[in-house]
Amino acid sequence: MKKRNIRQGVLPYVFLILFVVVVYFIFSTMNKKVNTLTYDEFIKDLNAGEVTELEITPKERSAVYTLSGKLKGYEENETFTLNVPYTDAVIDDILNEEEDGKLGFKLSTKADPDGSTLLLVLVNIVPYVILIGIALWFFTRQVNVNSKSIDFGRSKARLSNGEGGVTFKDVAGLTEEKEEVSELIDFLKEPKKFQAMGARIPKGVLLVGPPGTGKTLLAKAVAGEANVPFYYISGSDFVELFVGIGASRVRDMFKQAKQNAPCLIFIDEIDAVGRQRGTGLGGGHDEREQTLNQLLTEMDGFGTNEGIIVIAATNRADVLDPALLRPGRFDRQVTVNLPDIKAREEILAVHARNKVLGKGVTLSNLAKRTPGFSGADLENLLNEAALLAVRRNKENITMAEIDEATDRVMMGPAKKTKKYTEEERRMVAYHEAGHAVIGIKLDDASDVQKVTIIPRGRAGGYNLMVPKEEKYTASKKELLEQITGLLGGRASEELNFNEISTGAHNDLEKATKIARAMVTEYGMSDLGLVQLEQEQGEVFLGRDYTKSRNFSNEVAHEIDMEMKKIMDNCYDQAKKILSENKDLVTLIAESLLEYETLTKEQIEFLVENGHMPEVETLSDFNVTELKSRAKMAGVKGYNKMTKEELIEALDNLDKEKEEQEEE
């Protein structure tokens, strides 16, 4: 590769130099004027004394002298030339006169150019060598192009022997999923045990689930546990511009796999090549369909691929071709869901192996606070916490870093420099307090974990609320209370300011989605037990464009009315709850205005005691609380201070106040 790069880098400069030399030679030749004289004309000018310069060059092979020079009246770039035979006496006379000093012009002689061996080689051999070299260069270049075209149809699958890689110990929280694929490992290790029973191992296993749940990691663990060759490739590596290349790569991949059987083939994001055929407004994709046809044939066609197990991963199983999912191809589908609380704790334990956690960090509590997080989200959360700990020059990761990392993963970094007017700040505080009070007062509403009015992302503040218990189903009462909780912020704005803002944009979006699903999908309205819409439409033409509608225009109006009825009832209930607990709303909102962030424990203390917990020393405050106190006290540069510097600055202010009071 290095030689090829050097050749490609040097050759253009060589050709450039040759081009410059040739151009220079041509121009220099064009500027010279050469007059060819006859023998008689030369003798006449010589006898008349017109010759001013003369150069004699013998050429033994031609048996002549080549004469060149200048005559009187010639321009600077003008010369003459002629050939004189060896037998002519004129050259001898000129040479004799030069010896006697009687010559009236400048004379010079040159050696015979044909007599130099080096010059002979340069003139007669080097041009042929250059021509042959150029021909060889073009020939080898064409060979390289042809070899590339041959390799173009070869598989891009990369081979791993499975040794020293990922094992089931590195895969946490997927207990049932690991049991499903453990049969593949047993078959790869002891195939005769299955063959004696007449059992046929699945030819393909499809891993389906949301992004970041560990599908690729599970496939790597299967190869690591079985300790067999493991081919891995992305679905997009099959699709190319030229028709037939993808099918050729599929054939080559299975050919290589047969030579290393038993082995595993892992195809990531198979939906890139396995989409349904014959769909779309503009017709099918010929290249992708040919690739899919070849994959179907290789997995279960006339040929047999014994000992080859295909594992594929996708989060779009709804777009795959039905022929790909039938028994004999992908016999088994393993759904890899988002982890529950127990699985999240196990995943956190795996990712916390190389992290230095403080004594106050409990993974079980962190698992409770992260419902809906995937394995990738949890790994990112701990990594963000570690980065924050390094940035703050701490020796270990504390709950302060984990809290901040959780907020960063969910909402983005805090925008502390964003300026609010006092009116906006109060409205945001009462908005978030409305959410918090609804969550406290309704049994089936989400549990309030944290409330803040510090802007993050596109939100002016947010309320971290998690379900009291994780469930796979939801009752009508629970859904209605979720909508009520989402509308609590808007209701609080209206009750306390007699005005509404755009801060409820995301709340209304979520509430409307739940209300529509209750009416059209779950049968939880007066329209009866009818599913009027499907969860997803055709993905090829757009979900909204071809969304399944099993109702008339009259029913569509009734759907809108039922949704409005649900939203209005929940909004009225939210206003009722907030009106009955107006003092609590005010208490939480005013506390938010003072401290900016309230934790679950602080909110519970507020509800029980009607005031924030008293802190004996400043060291008991966290950094956020200290900065809030420093801001209210007018400490300059508080945002850049460490916790120790904040405590010292606040202590100094207290001492100054005491001294002033004494005076």
Side-chain angles (χ1 to χ4, degrees), residues 420-435:
Y420 274 138
T421 63
E422 188 60 30
E423 184 179 355
E424 282 181 314
R425 195 165 175 267
R426 290 186 64 82
M427 185 168 283
V428 171
Y430 276 88
H431 180 103
E432 301 302 336
H435 285 304

Side-chain angles (χ1 to χ4, degrees), residues 190-258:
E190 300 179 17
K192 294 182 180 179
K193 181 173 66 174
F194 292 86
Q195 294 169 359
M197 190 61 66
R200 180 183 63 82
I201 199 68
K203 292 187 178 180
V205 176
L206 183 65
L207 304 178
V208 183
T213 50
K215 300 183 292 296
T216 304
L217 186 67
L218 184 60
K220 290 181 180 179
V222 172
E225 290 287 339
N227 196 17
V228 295
F230 175 64
Y231 290 91
Y232 56 98
I233 189 171
S234 172
S236 60
D237 288 334
F238 292 114
V239 182
E240 287 288 351
L241 175 64
F242 305 105
V243 176
I245 295 299
S248 174
R249 288 177 178 175
V250 172
R251 288 191 294 270
D252 187 65
M253 181 179 67
F254 277 89
K255 180 181 177 182
Q256 294 179 31
K258 288 177 186 177

Side-chain angles (χ1 to χ4, degrees), residues 293-308:
N293 292 337
Q294 187 63 45
L295 181 62
L296 296 174
T297 304
E298 292 290 343
M299 290 189 69
D300 187 22
F302 286 104
T304 57
N305 292 314
E306 297 295 337
I308 300 175

Side-chain angles (χ1 to χ4, degrees), residues 308-327:
I308 300 175
I309 299 175
V310 181
I311 302 177
T314 181
N315 53 6
R316 299 289 303 279
D318 56 319
V319 306
L320 295 180
D321 194 272
L324 197 62
L325 304 177
R326 73 158 175 83

Side-chain angles (χ1 to χ4, degrees), residues 469-534:
E469 293 182 2
E470 291 189 33
K471 298 180 180 180
Y472 291 98
T473 60
S475 65
K476 182 179 179 180
K477 180 174 178 290
E478 290 171 346
L479 292 175
L480 290 173
E481 292 192 357
Q482 286 182 24
I483 296 175
T484 304
L486 289 168
L487 299 177
R490 169 61 64 86
S492 180
E493 291 177 4
E494 184 177 349
L495 289 173
N496 291 281
F497 298 95
N498 197 25
E499 184 61 271
I500 56 177
S501 71
T502 60
H505 173 271
N506 188 247
D507 300 331
L508 293 174
E509 181 182 354
K510 293 178 180 178
T512 304
K513 186 176 180 181
I514 296 173
R516 187 169 189 87
M518 290 177 65
V519 177
T520 61
E521 297 177 27
Y522 306 146
M524 294 181 177
S525 69
D526 294 339
L527 294 180
L529 305 177
V530 181
Q531 187 179 47
L532 300 171
E533 289 181 348
Q534 294 180 358

Side-chain angles (χ1 to χ4, degrees), residues 267-516:
I267 306 175
D268 198 10
E269 304 297 342
I270 194 174
D271 52 274
V273 72
R275 289 174 176 256
Q276 293 181 22
R277 293 166 289 182
T279 56
L281 289 171
H285 190 297
D286 195 30
E287 162 63 2
R288 187 172 60 226
E289 291 187 3
Q290 285 198 23
T291 306
L292 174 59
N293 292 337
Q294 187 63 45
L295 181 62
L296 296 174
T297 304
E298 292 290 343
M299 290 189 69
D300 187 22
F302 286 104
T304 57
N305 292 314
E306 297 295 337
I308 300 175
I309 299 175
V310 181
I311 302 177
T314 181
N315 53 6
R316 299 289 303 279
D318 56 319
V319 306
L320 295 180
D321 194 272
L324 197 62
L325 304 177
R326 73 158 175 83
R329 286 175 180 142
F330 283 108
D331 304 270
R332 185 176 298 176
Q333 289 191 32
V334 178
T335 303
V336 185
N337 285 320
L338 292 171
D340 57 12
I341 183 170
K342 181 181 178 183
R344 289 198 298 274
E345 185 176 353
E346 294 175 0
I347 294 171
L348 287 168
V350 170
H351 293 305
R353 290 174 183 171
N354 61 341
K355 304 289 190 302
V356 184
L357 300 179
K359 295 181 180 179
V361 178
T362 307
L363 296 181
S364 59
N365 292 335
L366 182 56
K368 293 178 182 178
R369 300 178 58 182
T370 52
F373 277 47
S374 66
D377 292 331
L378 295 172
E379 189 276 335
N380 188 35
L381 187 150
L382 289 180
N383 185 62
E384 286 286 345
L387 293 174
L388 286 169
V390 174
R391 193 181 304 171
R392 296 174 179 179
N393 296 320
K394 291 193 174 182
E395 297 180 355
N396 49 44
I397 302 171
T398 64
M399 281 304 298
E401 284 73 47
I402 290 179
D403 285 339
E404 176 64 20
T406 305
D407 296 339
R408 280 172 171 264
V409 172
M410 294 180 64
M411 302 292 294
K415 298 182 178 179
K416 297 180 180 179
T417 58
K418 188 173 182 179
K419 294 183 179 180
Y420 274 138
T421 63
E422 188 60 30
E423 184 179 355
E424 282 181 314
R425 195 165 175 267
R426 290 186 64 82
M427 185 168 283
V428 171
Y430 276 88
H431 180 103
E432 301 302 336
H435 285 304
V437 171
I438 297 294
I440 293 169
K441 294 301 178 180
L442 291 180
D443 295 334
D444 292 324
S446 297
D447 195 11
V448 180
Q449 292 289 328
K450 183 179 181 180
V451 185
T452 180
I453 59 173
I454 298 175
R456 288 181 181 272
R458 299 174 61 184
Y462 83 99
N463 204 326
L464 178 60
M465 304 177 73
V466 300
K468 292 181 174 66
E469 293 182 2
E470 291 189 33
K471 298 180 180 180
Y472 291 98
T473 60
S475 65
K476 182 179 179 180
K477 180 174 178 290
E478 290 171 346
L479 292 175
L480 290 173
E481 292 192 357
Q482 286 182 24
I483 296 175
T484 304
L486 289 168
L487 299 177
R490 169 61 64 86
S492 180
E493 291 177 4
E494 184 177 349
L495 289 173
N496 291 281
F497 298 95
N498 197 25
E499 184 61 271
I500 56 177
S501 71
T502 60
H505 173 271
N506 188 247
D507 300 331
L508 293 174
E509 181 182 354
K510 293 178 180 178
T512 304
K513 186 176 180 181
I514 296 173
R516 187 169 189 87

Side-chain angles (χ1 to χ4, degrees), residues 583-584 586-588 590-591 602-613:
D583 293 340
L584 181 59
T586 303
L587 178 62
I588 295 176
E590 294 299 326
S591 299
Q602 290 173 329
I603 294 173
E604 290 176 349
F605 192 91
L606 273 173
V607 174
E608 293 177 4
N609 301 280
H611 60 84
M612 287 289 288

